[in-house]
Amino acid sequence: MLTKKLQPVQSFLSLVSRSVGHFPRQHYDVIVVGGGHAGTEAAAAAARLGAETLLITQKIHTIGALSCNPSLGGVGKGHLVREVDALDGLCGRAGDWAGISFSILNRRKGPAVWGPRAQLDRQRYREFMQSELLSTPRLTVMEGSVEELLVTDPNPEQPGQHRVNGICLANSSHPISASSVVLTTGTFLSGSLFIGQTTSPGGRIGDAPSSAGLSHTLRERLGLKVGRLRTGTPPRIVKDSVDLSLATLNPPDSSPTPFSFMNTHTRCRPEEQLPCYLTYTTPGVERVVRESLHLNCHIQQDAKGPRYCPSIESRVLRFPGRRHQVWLEPEGLTSDLLYPQGLSMTMPPDVQLRLIREIPPLHKAEIHMPGYGVQYDFVCPTQLSPSLQVKSTQGLFLAGQINGTTGYEEAAAQGLWAGVNAGRRALSKPPVALSRTESYIGVLIDDLVSRGVTEPYRMFTSRAEFRTSLRPDNADLRLTLKGFELGCVSSSRHQKAVRVKNSLQDALAALQALSLSTTSWKRKIPDVHVSEANSNMLSGIEMLQYKDVSFQVLASIFPEVLLPFMEFSQRLKIEAVYRPHCESNKREIQRIQEEENMSLPEDIDYLSLPVSLSQEVREVLHRARPSTLGAATRLEGITPAAVVNLFNYVCFAEKRKKTSHGNQRRQKEGREEELCASLPQ
């Protein structure tokens, strides 16, 4: 089933008009700045938590806009979408509603690294996100541009040199206060657009950049280290001008797999899905790139671009003489445009047309909108805590591309977690963190705050040490129950997750109880090679680990026991296959968690610490200021010996602190006894 039905157009438009026309009140629990993938998830999460939330965006009708590629998920990225959904986020359900071509990438490998992915209908995705946000309780959406942050003196009882308690809007004399502010400015923070030798301010074509005052506040008032990154997008091509017969057809999966654990099917029926097409660059493409470098100021800039989604100019210069893949992707069920994935470019429009016509299927192609580049400010993320709050500034949270990441999925994951913590702070609750041992979101945030970025960060499964445990299929078991305890997961989702968890446990117990000799199993399943040399008894779980043994096969042999669990057949097969790996993972995770859970004092002075640490290590620790020993171990330049010395120092300091408190308590008790003895009887 699909859990979302869009409201009628009349009702939807009335919601928009009310949100635009209604002047907000003067105080909110949480203010979210920016209506992209990070901002929408942050605002919705804070509101679900119970915080009165205000989402400020330049244009309400661009909420949920897919600024670049019309797709969601992929290897690593699909894991993030599933985890955001497990925490009751929006993008997974939006993907199921707007998807027009679904596939599981990496299917030739194990399920732990499968990548759920979908091509999206841009209009449907935007409509879903706007409808969802504009009908969310405790969430107000308004159009506006934030001029600057309200900065005051910090609360002396909490760490930090500053406190942000609201925002000032451009063209308004009325500040709006809040306990927490979440910045999700995307590419709009001092953004600049590049086409050929032309530069203009903006974060997306057709939209203005964020106020210069906001960037100035971050740099000058708050003293944050700010860098510069770049990205780009390809031209949009008129579909009817493309000869798709010269490209290779790439059909979607015959049975679409939903992103959301709450959905059993997608809105788009299997037969309605649209295919993608694959083609390649030619030597002519490389020639055009080289001949036009002097006309391309974006490619000559020092700002770092995305390594894993580079422009065609960067690919040609980095890998000369190669042919490069170009995917021709649909932009919607009724759209007359194609998105040429792999052809991000920033040369002049007439040169872009020359270039794409060097590719056989595009030899007569027409460009609807030229490609362009964007440069924007980002805040070095090592200045953030694992809650995504700025360490030096109370009440200020950052999420999305402002933290140096690239991609919708990475932004959505950060936005959700920043929204959760911003809401918790506003409701006087302590911050929470996700460990890299329990989620890809934890891996993402830990990488950012511990290691920082030198180029736009993209999620891969290889970044996770425990990827056999952190699979797309079990994100609900890992995160939904925790999310319910935090308050960001609905009761209906929680009830479903509990039912799934209990059913899987019962099914695994039933499989474990099916214990037979190898001879008996061979008689029951003669087509599967079970070595008779193994005299041990084998359980149903162990049999399910064989490649050719499915849960359906076992259920046909033991129908009374296993047929009640048929709806979980694929999940049970995956659980059985990965059980040996997960058991060894648990032992390693336990060791890591012991390190993760050892907090490092927030006021520790690494530069003068009386411990044997090299000056390089001291500077790394001083700059990154990790919150736990586990985070310290992953910092670049931190040696195992340094970790041991730091561990011993913290243990010694804690022991000395406890001894000191004990002595103070005994001294106090002694004084009280002396006082009692001196009183008249």
Side-chain angles (χ1 to χ4, degrees):
M1 59 175 290
L2 278 175
T3 59
K4 179 67 177 176
K5 292 184 178 179
L6 291 183
Q7 301 182 44
V9 173
Q10 297 275 347
S11 173
F12 178 73
L13 291 176
S14 67
L15 277 171
V16 174
S17 63
R18 284 205 305 272
S19 295
V20 174
H22 173 67
F23 189 81
R25 57 196 201 182
Q26 297 306 304
H27 177 80
Y28 287 84
D29 294 324
V30 177
I31 294 176
V32 178
V33 181
H37 296 271
T40 52
E41 295 291 355
R48 289 198 304 275
L49 230 67
E52 290 293 335
T53 304
L54 173 65
L55 172 61
I56 302 175
T57 181
Q58 290 187 0
K59 299 176 183 177
I60 287 182
H61 73 266
T62 61
I63 288 176
L66 299 166
S67 301
C68 197
N69 55 308
S71 64
L72 187 71
V75 179
K77 290 173 172 283
H79 291 66
L80 289 174
V81 175
R82 295 281 278 178
E83 291 184 356
V84 168
D85 179 74
L87 291 166
D88 230 353
L90 308 178
C91 63
R93 288 182 291 121
D96 292 344
W97 181 266
I100 56 175
S101 181
F102 292 82
S103 57
I104 301 293
L105 306 184
N106 242 13
R107 201 185 277 273
R108 286 179 295 179
K109 298 185 179 180
V113 293
W114 286 355
R117 186 180 187 276
Q119 291 297 133
L120 304 176
D121 185 301
R122 291 184 186 274
Q123 182 177 344
R124 283 186 176 184
Y125 192 88
R126 187 170 61 248
E127 288 176 351
F128 181 98
M129 296 298 282
Q130 292 175 14
S131 175
E132 187 78 16
L133 288 172
L134 294 168
S135 60
T136 296
R138 294 179 296 277
L139 175 58
T140 301
V141 183
M142 72 168 293
E143 290 185 344
S145 179
V146 175
E147 180 69 32
E148 61 180 348
L149 303 173
L150 297 178
V151 181
T152 62
D153 292 332
N155 181 344
E157 297 180 357
Q158 299 175 1
Q161 290 80 55
H162 312 279
R163 180 171 54 148
V164 167
N165 64 352
I167 55 95
C168 289
L169 291 171
N171 305 318
S172 174
S173 59
H174 301 285
I176 306 174
S177 63
S179 301
S180 302
V181 174
V182 186
L183 291 185
T184 65
T185 51
T187 59
F188 286 79
L189 192 62
S190 296
S192 298
L193 303 180
F194 293 80
I195 302 179
Q197 294 179 302
T198 303
T199 304
S200 59
R204 176 174 56 211
I205 200 162
D207 293 311
S210 64
S211 168
L214 190 56
S215 187
H216 181 269
T217 300
L218 296 176
R219 290 175 183 270
E220 306 302 330
R221 187 76 187 277
L222 301 181
L224 297 178
K225 183 181 178 183
V226 176
R228 197 84 172 151
L229 292 174
R230 72 182 183 196
T231 187
T233 191
R236 309 306 194 261
I237 298 175
V238 178
K239 186 176 181 178
D240 289 344
S241 67
V242 178
D243 187 353
L244 293 174
S245 67
L246 300 178
T248 303
L249 177 72
N250 188 69
D253 290 350
S254 58
S255 179
T257 301
F259 286 110
S260 178
F261 289 97
M262 299 298 286
N263 292 334
T264 56
H265 67 271
T266 63
R267 181 189 181 189
C268 185
R269 293 192 294 269
E271 65 275 12
E272 294 175 335
Q273 294 186 96
L274 300 179
C276 296
Y277 295 84
L278 175 64
T279 185
Y280 294 88
T281 61
T282 63
V285 168
E286 182 168 341
R287 185 183 66 255
V288 173
V289 168
R290 294 189 179 279
E291 290 175 354
S292 63
L293 284 177
H294 65 289
L295 301 174
N296 193 334
C297 61
H298 182 66
I299 200 68
Q300 300 169 17
Q301 301 289 323
D302 293 332
K304 285 277 190 176
R307 177 188 302 194
Y308 303 104
C309 185
S311 66
I312 188 60
E313 297 99 325
S314 297
R315 296 164 83 185
V316 163
L317 295 176
R318 191 174 171 192
F319 304 106
R322 295 190 188 180
R323 68 173 191 163
H324 303 280
Q325 286 187 344
V326 178
W327 288 96
L328 303 177
E329 301 174 343
E331 295 221 336
L333 283 176
T334 59
S335 174
D336 58 357
L337 301 179
L338 289 177
Y339 180 92
Q341 175 83 309
L343 283 184
S344 171
M345 60 182 74
T346 57
M347 55 193 67
D350 60 319
V351 181
Q352 293 188 29
L353 185 62
R354 279 176 49 207
L355 185 148
I356 66 171
R357 288 185 172 180
E358 292 291 340
I359 300 172
L362 308 179
H363 68 284
K364 294 182 179 179
E366 297 294 337
I367 292 178
H368 173 76
M369 184 187 79
Y372 61 92
V374 187
Q375 290 188 19
Y376 56 95
D377 284 350
F378 79 101
V379 174
C380 299
T382 53
Q383 300 167 103
L384 307 179
S385 71
S387 67
L388 294 180
Q389 181 176 214
V390 176
K391 294 176 183 177
S392 64
T393 307
Q394 301 166 5
L396 179 61
F397 298 80
L398 309 181
Q401 285 179 283
I402 192 174
N403 291 338
T405 60
T406 180
Y408 306 146
E409 303 82 1
E410 290 85 350
Q414 293 172 73
L416 184 145
W417 203 243
V420 165
N421 277 294
R424 288 180 65 84
R425 185 182 191 279
L427 300 175
S428 300
K429 296 180 180 180
V432 287
L434 283 172
S435 167
R436 64 189 299 123
T437 63
E438 65 180 331
S439 66
Y440 273 84
I441 300 177
V443 172
L444 165 65
I445 294 175
D446 185 65
D447 281 350
L448 293 176
V449 304
S450 297
R451 301 174 181 175
V453 299
T454 56
E455 61 189 20
Y457 178 102
R458 184 205 191 279
M459 177 52 69
F460 291 102
T461 54
S462 59
R463 297 190 189 273
E465 298 90 337
F466 304 107
R467 51 189 172 274
T468 57
S469 300
L470 309 181
R471 306 187 305 271
D473 66 280
N474 67 2
D476 56 341
L477 302 183
R478 292 184 280 113
L479 296 175
T480 299
L481 272 61
K482 179 170 185 171
F484 183 73
E485 293 175 0
L486 297 176
C488 68
V489 167
S490 67
S491 58
S492 59
R493 183 181 290 270
H494 175 254
Q495 290 170 7
K496 181 170 184 177
V498 169
R499 183 183 74 83
V500 169
K501 178 183 178 182
N502 292 338
S503 296
L504 289 174
Q505 288 178 342
D506 292 345
L508 290 170
L511 286 166
Q512 186 65 39
L514 295 174
S515 183
L516 302 175
S517 67
T518 54
T519 303
S520 298
W521 280 117
K522 196 168 182 63
R523 283 200 302 267
K524 291 182 178 295
I525 316 177
D527 296 335
V528 177
H529 176 70
V530 181
S531 176
E532 295 187 12
N534 186 354
S535 59
N536 296 330
M537 303 288 282
L538 295 178
S539 69
I541 291 180
E542 290 169 314
M543 287 302 299
L544 205 50
Q545 292 168 4
Y546 281 84
K547 181 180 179 181
D548 296 328
V549 177
S550 66
F551 184 82
Q552 289 87 339
V553 168
L554 295 182
S556 68
I557 300 172
F558 305 100
E560 316 83 26
V561 180
L562 300 181
L563 277 180
F565 306 109
M566 280 300 296
E567 66 175 298
F568 306 108
S569 58
Q570 185 183 51
R571 294 189 66 163
L572 288 166
K573 172 70 174 179
I574 295 172
E575 287 285 345
V577 168
Y578 283 105
R579 173 163 280 208
H581 304 279
C582 292
E583 290 298 327
S584 61
N585 271 358
K586 283 180 181 178
R587 293 189 292 272
E588 183 66 11
I589 287 172
Q590 186 175 2
R591 183 188 68 80
I592 293 292
Q593 285 177 336
E594 290 173 358
E595 295 179 350
E596 292 282 358
N597 295 333
M598 175 173 280
S599 297
L600 298 177
E602 293 179 343
D603 58 351
I604 191 170
D605 185 357
Y606 292 106
L607 298 179
S608 61
L609 205 63
V611 179
S612 177
L613 298 174
S614 69
Q615 188 61 30
E616 178 188 0
V617 167
R618 290 178 186 276
E619 291 174 357
V620 169
L621 291 170
H622 176 72
R623 185 168 58 250
R625 303 206 65 79
S627 57
T628 65
L629 186 67
T633 63
R634 292 184 291 278
L635 292 174
E636 189 172 352
I638 301 298
T639 63
V643 172
V644 170
N645 290 335
L646 189 58
F647 173 83
N648 291 335
Y649 170 79
V650 173
C651 289
F652 175 75
E654 284 293 319
K655 184 177 179 181
R656 185 172 58 184
K657 186 177 179 181
K658 291 179 181 178
T659 302
S660 174
H661 286 168
N663 290 338
Q664 291 175 3
R665 187 180 67 253
R666 285 191 291 272
Q667 289 174 4
K668 181 180 178 181
E669 292 171 351
R671 287 194 299 269
E672 291 175 348
E673 290 176 1
E674 291 176 3
L675 179 61
C676 290
S678 66
L679 293 174
Q681 299 297 319

